[in-house]
């Protein structure tokens, strides 16, 4: 996979899968723009990219803000002239509670980041790609966009919506040379996953981690780098006729029906 001369834009690039994707793009020759609502985290990722020998730019943005999204798109084009790869990755997990007890404000917050944020990214990046004659987008969905997880109604609903956006947008822009796919991770070994486990089992998060890992057919969580490898494949010429698809990276979780235990 050779991304020399290409520009990759990654939201949620300050940590986890987003940071791993930025580092992977850098190793394969791309200039990288990392977007995150945490400016310090975004700059830390950008520094990792520079250490890998690639050009980097960090942009602080709230993906739920149309003005901020337009600004990160405009900044990328002004700095590098184009957007070849867009990893529409920013997202939050929300609280864990049964549907009948789920806080309305928390539900709206999850949908704002995970759905509206993804929509706005597509809304303002796609015209750039169409005008330049092509590009590749990967939306970060989840196995929660394919199967249910009790206690995570907002997250599940939002990731189902991301897959719907992926399919719809992919069909709309395929003839303009733009490909749009989704990656669907299962549990990933990230700080966000550890925070979720602490929320579910505050008295024994380590025990919950051990049970969750044991429930995986592979016996472990995916690493951010393993998910990033699939993201790069979908952005590369190796996937030149792949669009509107969902690629699962979950250690067999969805194939066997295992689920992360949650309250509710």
């Amino acid at each position: 996979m050779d991304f020399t001369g290409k520009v990759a834009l990654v939201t949620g690039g300050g940590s986890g899968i987003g940071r791993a994707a930025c580092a992977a793009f850098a190793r394969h020759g791309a200039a990288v723009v990392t977007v995150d609502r945490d400016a310090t985290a975004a700059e830390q990722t950008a520094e990792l990219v520079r250490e890998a020998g690639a050009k980097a730019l960090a942009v602080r943005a709230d993906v739920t803000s149309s003005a901020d999204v337009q600004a990160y798109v405009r900044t990328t084009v002004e700095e590098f002239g184009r957007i070849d790869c867009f990893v529409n990755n920013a997202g939050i997990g929300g609280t864990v509670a049964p549907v009948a007890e789920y806080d309305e404000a928390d539900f709206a917050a999850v949908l704002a980041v995970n759905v509206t944020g993804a929509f706005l990214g597509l809304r303002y990046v796609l015209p750039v790609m169409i005008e330049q004659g092509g590009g590749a987008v990967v939306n970060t969905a989840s196995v929660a966009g394919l199967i249910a997880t009790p206690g995570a109604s907002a997250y599940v609903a939002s990731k189902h919506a991301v897959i719907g956006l992926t399919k719809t947008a992919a069909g709309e822009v395929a003839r303009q040379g733009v490909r749009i796919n989704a990656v669907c991770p299962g549990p990933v070994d990230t700080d966000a996953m550890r925070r979720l486990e602490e929320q579910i089992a505050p008295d024994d998060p380590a025990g919950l981690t051990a049970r969750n890992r044991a429930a995986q057919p592979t016996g472990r969580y995916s690493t951010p780098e393993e998910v990033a490898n699939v993201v790069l494949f979908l952005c590369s010429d190796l996937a030149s006729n792949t669009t509107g698809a969902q690629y699962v990276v979950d250690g067999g979780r969805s194939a066997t029906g295992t689920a992360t235990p949650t309250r509710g």
Side-chain angles (χ1 to χ4, degrees):
M1 292 185 287
D2 185 6
F3 292 90
T4 303
K6 293 188 176 183
V7 178
L9 170 61
V10 182
T11 66
S15 63
I17 294 169
R19 175 169 286 181
C22 289
F25 275 117
R27 288 194 301 271
H28 290 276
V32 179
V33 178
T34 178
V35 176
D36 203 281
R37 64 182 177 181
D38 183 334
T40 300
E43 183 55 43
Q44 289 171 345
T45 298
E47 187 56 34
L48 290 174
V49 170
R50 296 184 191 107
E51 290 173 0
K55 295 179 180 178
L57 180 66
V59 180
R60 190 266 166 203
D62 176 353
V63 299
T64 70
S65 164
S66 178
D68 279 14
V69 173
Q70 292 179 70
Y72 77 61
V73 173
R74 181 173 59 251
T75 299
T76 301
V77 174
E78 289 174 352
E79 180 72 17
F80 294 113
R82 58 189 299 109
I83 302 171
D84 297 289
C85 307
F86 176 43
V87 185
N88 206 3
N89 170 72
I92 60 173
T95 57
V96 178
V99 172
E101 301 173 14
Y102 211 98
D103 183 81
E104 292 181 28
D106 289 345
F107 194 94
V110 173
L111 266 64
V113 175
N114 295 359
V115 183
T116 301
F119 159 73
L120 290 172
L122 293 170
R123 171 67 180 82
Y124 293 105
V125 169
L126 290 181
V128 174
M129 290 185 167
I130 291 168
E131 183 176 357
Q132 70 192 21
V137 177
V138 176
N139 295 322
T140 301
S142 169
V143 292
L146 302 169
I147 59 176
T149 299
S153 56
Y155 188 75
V156 169
S158 72
K159 293 304 183 178
H160 273 72
V162 169
I163 290 176
L165 274 172
T166 299
K167 293 177 179 180
T168 301
E172 291 175 351
V173 299
R175 293 295 178 94
Q176 281 78 40
V178 180
R179 298 184 298 102
I180 306 175
N181 294 288
V183 64
C184 297
V188 180
D189 194 3
T190 62
D191 289 340
M193 188 65 195
R194 284 183 281 277
R195 288 193 297 270
L196 174 63
E197 290 169 334
E198 289 171 0
Q199 182 187 163
I200 296 168
D203 297 329
D204 187 21
L208 178 60
T209 300
R211 292 192 298 275
N212 284 349
R213 290 177 189 268
Q216 293 289 107
T218 58
R220 65 178 181 86
Y221 292 167
S222 299
T223 67
E225 291 73 21
E226 287 172 322
V227 181
N229 288 340
V230 176
V231 170
L232 258 69
F233 163 72
L234 290 171
C235 286
S236 77
D237 291 340
L238 296 175
S240 57
N241 200 37
T242 300
T243 195
Q246 303 85 53
Y247 274 65
V248 176
V249 187
D250 72 345
R253 176 190 169 194
S254 57
T256 58
T258 54
T260 303
T262 59
R263 288 190 290 110

